[in-house]
Amino acid sequence: MTIQTVETHKTFNGNQTKYRHFSNRLNCEMVFSVFLPQVTDNQQIPIVWWLSGLTCTDDNFSQKGQFQQYADQYKIAVVIPDTSPRGETVADDDNWDLGQGASFYLNATQKPWQTHYQMYDYLTKELPSIVYDLVPNFSGRESIMGHSMGGHGALILGLKNPQRFAAISAFAPISNPLNTPWGNKAFTAYLGTDKKEWENWDATALIANGDVVPPIYITQGTADNFYEEQLNEQAFLEATEKRKVNVRYQKVDGYDHSYFTIATFIGEHFAFHQKHLK
């Protein structure tokens, strides 16, 4: 497989690099970004995966997240995939909350989406095999985080793969897509109308039905205009309380859905991941 370096930038002692490759699982070219901290020759490096939200690309977090100083401080590599397959031959929708930029990080089963929209397999099988070779002295330890739709993605990937991910964190996640307009629209299109199938991609249902649950940390702004309709946490927290899950859910007064919120609290999230990646 050919991996092309698109661009690289030195920042906070490390290097932020964007790559391009052809994905056999998604049947299209994909880009992803990797931050590598400055390390000594023999220093072991864990990986934190970041999944971005609706309409975003790998550039949003790499350019606005202001995480690099913490990743270098804790000597953590950060992998940022794109949010969906892309290209002229890839199915899309006229609305911003479906199609390209809005994969919901699942494996689609319905036409026309199933040909390309296999993001779960891409992130659990194909991309890791590429990334592990790009991270020198990879320690074998990983955790995952994300924002909004990417928070949903981080939760479902972490919950479905607890042996792989040591911890999960999220900003303003869609934690119960079964009961939100965004989730209903995407799941109907990608998965069909069988809501039992939807439960396989809903964090609240996975908490209720799962066995091992990694530690979880969530930050939600009180001024987030999507909160009431799309991001309400009540069902999720009820499920975690019933299962006695190690979860910290914090609401931060006056903060919204933007990267200003992420940049403000990203240091706390990296400290959380560092604790569980040791």
Side-chain angles (χ1 to χ4, degrees):
M1 182 181 294
T2 302
I3 311 298
Q4 177 187 354
T5 300
V6 178
E7 61 184 34
T8 187
H9 305 277
K10 189 172 180 64
T11 178
F12 288 99
N13 301 312
N15 287 295
Q16 184 73 57
T17 305
K18 180 194 284 284
Y19 298 95
R20 179 182 289 116
H21 75 109
F22 184 85
S23 166
N24 293 316
R25 195 69 190 90
L26 303 180
N27 295 300
C28 65
E29 281 202 337
M30 291 293 288
V31 296
F32 65 94
S33 292
V34 177
F35 175 79
L36 291 178
Q38 184 182 56
V39 295
T40 59
D41 290 342
N42 298 317
Q43 190 166 3
Q44 297 289 295
I45 307 173
I47 293 174
V48 168
W49 293 74
W50 170 272
L51 304 184
S52 297
L54 290 164
T55 75
C56 290
T57 70
D58 58 306
D59 287 336
N60 291 77
F61 188 56
S62 66
Q63 296 178 13
K64 299 179 182 179
Q66 299 186 35
F67 69 88
Q68 289 91 345
Q69 58 184 314
Y70 304 107
D72 187 73
Q73 175 186 343
Y74 296 125
K75 304 308 177 189
I76 295 171
V78 181
V79 179
I80 314 167
D82 201 351
T83 52
S84 78
R86 297 182 190 269
E88 293 182 0
T89 64
V90 176
D92 201 5
D93 190 86
D94 291 336
N95 296 302
W96 59 273
D97 54 357
L98 188 69
Q100 295 187 34
S103 72
F104 275 75
Y105 301 103
L106 47 72
N107 287 338
T109 59
Q110 304 299 302
K111 294 180 179 179
W113 312 103
Q114 62 184 6
T115 302
H116 298 283
Y117 286 74
Q118 304 294 316
M119 284 293 288
Y120 179 80
D121 278 358
Y122 174 67
L123 294 174
T124 57
K125 298 176 181 178
E126 185 176 20
L127 190 56
S129 66
I130 298 169
V131 165
Y132 296 159
D133 288 337
L134 296 174
V135 178
N137 299 327
F138 172 44
S139 69
R141 298 282 288 170
E142 299 174 83
S143 64
I144 192 165
M145 63 195 307
H147 172 232
S148 193
M149 178 190 72
H152 149 77
L155 286 168
I156 62 169
L157 263 74
L159 291 169
K160 290 166 82 73
N161 300 275
Q163 290 78 25
R164 175 181 169 191
F165 296 110
I168 307 166
S169 80
F171 291 86
I174 310 170
S175 60
N176 189 204
L178 272 168
N179 295 307
T180 68
W182 278 343
N184 272 254
K185 180 177 181 177
F187 285 5
T188 301
Y190 297 143
L191 302 172
T193 57
D194 182 1
K195 292 195 174 183
K196 289 300 293 181
E197 173 63 20
W198 294 11
E199 292 181 4
N200 294 320
W201 308 101
D202 181 281
T204 299
L206 291 172
I207 287 282
N209 300 324
D211 294 322
V212 179
V213 178
I216 300 172
Y217 177 26
I218 294 173
T219 298
Q220 172 67 59
T222 62
D224 189 324
N225 60 324
F226 296 116
Y227 169 70
E228 290 293 343
E229 187 175 33
Q230 308 284 5
L231 310 172
N232 189 281
E233 79 286 3
Q234 183 176 351
F236 177 80
L237 291 184
E238 287 175 355
T240 62
E241 183 176 357
K242 187 174 182 179
R243 286 290 314 281
K244 308 297 183 186
V245 171
N246 179 5
V247 58
R248 177 187 175 192
Y249 184 93
Q250 68 166 353
K251 281 188 176 176
V252 286
D253 188 43
Y255 286 90
D256 59 21
H257 200 70
S258 73
Y259 270 79
F260 292 108
T261 301
I262 294 169
T264 301
F265 296 98
I266 195 66
E268 296 179 13
H269 281 249
F270 266 83
F272 166 79
H273 286 282
Q274 166 67 2
K275 174 183 175 181
H276 294 287
L277 287 168
K278 285 182 178 178

